[in-house]
Amino acid sequence: MSKRQILSHKKVFASELFYVEETKFTLPNGKTKTHQNAIRRPTVSVFPITDQYEIYLITQYRYLLEKEALEAMAGFINKKETSLSAAKRELQEEMGISASHWEEIARIEMTASVFRAQSHLFLAKDLEFGKTNFDDDEHITILKMPIEEAAKKVARGEINHAPSMIGILLLDRLRRENKL
Amino acid sequence: MSKRQILSHKKVFASELFYVEETKFTLPNGKTKTHQNAIRRPTVSVFPITDQYEIYLITQYRYLLEKEALEAMAGFINKKETSLSAAKRELQEEMGISASHWEEIARIEMTASVFRAQSHLFLAKDLEFGKTNFDDDEHITILKMPIEEAAKKVARGEINHAPSMIGILLLDRLRRENKL
């Protein structure tokens, strides 16, 4: 399927969490093009639910979006970590919760071109509560609500962070089908 | 809420579709940090549906993901274009479809930090079919299926492009609630 011919491929920018690569290529029609893509380290998004089908979400001030955002707990996967161990670590650090049942409900690509950002979405069940351990620049508030209410907030546009929307809508669907 | 003090803020990389900005700031605890964010031009994702609650999707080889991907039709919002006019143009160019009913069903942020990529999700109804007008490097296949089937593909992980997943799950929800 790969019909383009690569002429050159190089890294043109790098930071801690992403890099930019530039690819020069020729199309079957002979035209030459240059594309820049930014590739970000993958993240995990965690959806802890109680036995009563309530979900834990957080609110946090997001400088990038210039607003307080309601979203699922999430974090980057560190080097030498699996997605599952990152999910367990983040849930422990940010919410002080450990869970005995884990399930990857989706692996998503945020965009299909230009930006590569992958997130692994995890359902966490059978929760146990301990102490939190925030990063020094995080100020988060933890909220608990029925999954159906979270899904309504997604539908009303009160939650607009893509991985959070997807996890909530998928869990709401599973719950309705009695598969949760 | 913005508790950090900005020390400097500058553009460190720019391409046609995104740029990278670097911000140096001090936290309330006195620590200094530097963050790089990549900001991409916003996109539209379009969900055309028939009177029989079928949805049009496309498959397309995605170099970034190195696979043939099933997804909603999408494109960048050009300068001087509104999100709605971009949605109308893309639907016309890629599928040769015009629609007399348009509705913005969501405005989403792909990530909450590091990458800023916004997409406007549009429902298009009352469709009329004409001729397509692809870009020269696009090879797309158009598919039509019941919304419920598309939602099953999302749940099974056969569609993993975030805006496509969100639009399909929201439309499936609206359809079940007889609001579509």
Side-chain angles (χ1 to χ4, degrees):
Chain A
M1 250 326 176
S2 181
K3 288 178 188 136
R4 62 186 191 177
Q5 194 190 334
I6 306 290
L7 301 174
S8 70
H9 187 65
K10 60 182 177 185
K11 204 174 275 191
V12 291
F13 180 85
S15 77
E16 192 196 339
L17 296 168
F18 69 95
Y19 61 90
V20 178
E21 56 182 24
E22 185 173 281
T23 308
K24 196 176 277 189
F25 56 92
T26 310
L27 292 170
N29 64 14
K31 281 190 190 174
T32 296
K33 290 203 170 192
T34 304
H35 280 176
Q36 287 86 13
N37 292 324
I39 320 289
R40 200 194 62 169
R41 204 196 286 180
T43 60
V44 288
S45 297
V46 186
F47 301 86
I49 60 166
T50 69
D51 299 340
Q52 286 79 48
Y53 303 108
E54 294 160 312
I55 187 167
Y56 283 96
L57 298 172
I58 61 175
T59 61
Q60 183 172 14
Y61 187 82
R62 291 300 196 171
Y63 290 100
L64 185 70
L65 312 179
E66 296 177 316
K67 67 169 187 177
E68 189 82 21
L70 177 60
E71 53 191 52
M73 209 215 64
F76 288 98
I77 302 173
N78 291 333
K79 281 156 195 160
K80 296 183 182 174
E81 240 184 354
T82 63
S83 56
L84 179 58
S85 58
K88 289 180 176 178
R89 175 183 52 73
E90 286 286 341
L91 186 62
Q92 180 60 55
E93 283 176 7
E94 292 206 15
M95 292 193 178
I97 296 177
S98 61
S100 53
H101 177 98
W102 287 88
E103 201 177 319
E104 187 172 344
I105 54 169
R107 189 172 300 188
I108 67 178
E109 296 285 351
M110 249 48 99
T111 88
S113 68
V114 187
F115 275 10
R116 177 112 202 229
Q118 216 178 34
S119 192
H120 300 251
L121 275 50
F122 283 97
L123 162 64
K125 285 198 300 193
D126 302 337
L127 312 177
E128 249 179 70
F129 300 83
K131 273 179 72 179
T132 57
N133 178 25
F134 298 144
D135 284 353
D136 58 8
D137 58 346
E138 289 180 330
H139 297 84
I140 70 170
T141 305
I142 297 173
L143 294 170
K144 187 175 73 169
M145 67 187 73
I147 293 172
E148 172 60 22
E149 190 185 325
K152 280 182 187 155
K153 283 182 185 295
V154 170
R156 286 197 299 257
E158 293 167 31
I159 298 174
N160 68 348
H161 173 242
S164 306
M165 298 172 83
I166 293 167
I168 291 166
L169 292 173
L170 284 176
L171 291 179
D172 185 50
R173 187 179 163 88
L174 286 172
R175 190 193 51 74
R176 273 185 287 98
E177 291 175 345
N178 293 313
K179 288 181 188 166
L180 198 61
Chain B
M1 251 322 176
S2 182
K3 286 173 186 140
R4 62 184 191 178
Q5 195 189 334
I6 306 289
L7 301 174
S8 70
H9 188 65
K10 60 182 175 185
K11 203 174 277 193
V12 291
F13 180 86
S15 77
E16 193 196 340
L17 296 167
F18 69 96
Y19 61 90
V20 178
E21 56 181 24
E22 183 173 281
T23 308
K24 196 176 275 191
F25 57 92
T26 311
L27 293 169
N29 64 12
K31 280 189 192 174
T32 296
K33 289 203 172 193
T34 304
H35 280 178
Q36 287 87 14
N37 292 325
I39 320 290
R40 200 195 63 171
R41 205 195 286 178
T43 60
V44 289
S45 298
V46 185
F47 301 85
I49 60 167
T50 68
D51 299 341
Q52 285 79 46
Y53 304 107
E54 293 161 312
I55 187 167
Y56 284 96
L57 298 172
I58 61 175
T59 61
Q60 184 172 14
Y61 188 82
R62 291 301 197 169
Y63 291 101
L64 185 71
L65 312 179
E66 296 175 317
K67 66 168 189 178
E68 189 83 22
L70 177 60
E71 53 191 50
M73 210 215 64
F76 288 99
I77 303 172
N78 291 333
K79 281 156 195 158
K80 297 185 181 172
E81 237 182 358
T82 64
S83 55
L84 178 58
S85 58
K88 289 180 176 177
R89 176 182 52 72
E90 286 286 341
L91 185 62
Q92 181 61 55
E93 283 177 4
E94 292 207 14
M95 292 194 180
I97 297 176
S98 61
S100 52
H101 177 97
W102 287 88
E103 201 176 318
E104 187 172 346
I105 53 169
R107 190 172 299 190
I108 68 178
E109 297 284 351
M110 249 48 97
T111 89
S113 68
V114 187
F115 276 9
R116 178 116 201 225
Q118 218 178 33
S119 192
H120 301 250
L121 275 49
F122 283 97
L123 162 65
K125 284 198 300 191
D126 302 336
L127 311 178
E128 249 179 72
F129 300 82
K131 272 179 71 178
T132 58
N133 178 24
F134 298 145
D135 284 354
D136 58 10
D137 58 347
E138 288 180 332
H139 298 85
I140 71 170
T141 305
I142 297 174
L143 293 171
K144 186 175 75 168
M145 67 187 75
I147 293 172
E148 172 59 19
E149 190 185 327
K152 280 182 187 155
K153 284 183 185 293
V154 170
R156 287 197 297 257
E158 293 165 31
I159 298 173
N160 68 348
H161 173 242
S164 306
M165 297 172 83
I166 293 168
I168 290 166
L169 292 173
L170 285 176
L171 291 180
D172 185 51
R173 190 180 160 85
L174 286 172
R175 188 193 50 76
R176 273 186 287 99
E177 291 175 346
N178 294 314
K179 288 180 186 165
L180 199 60

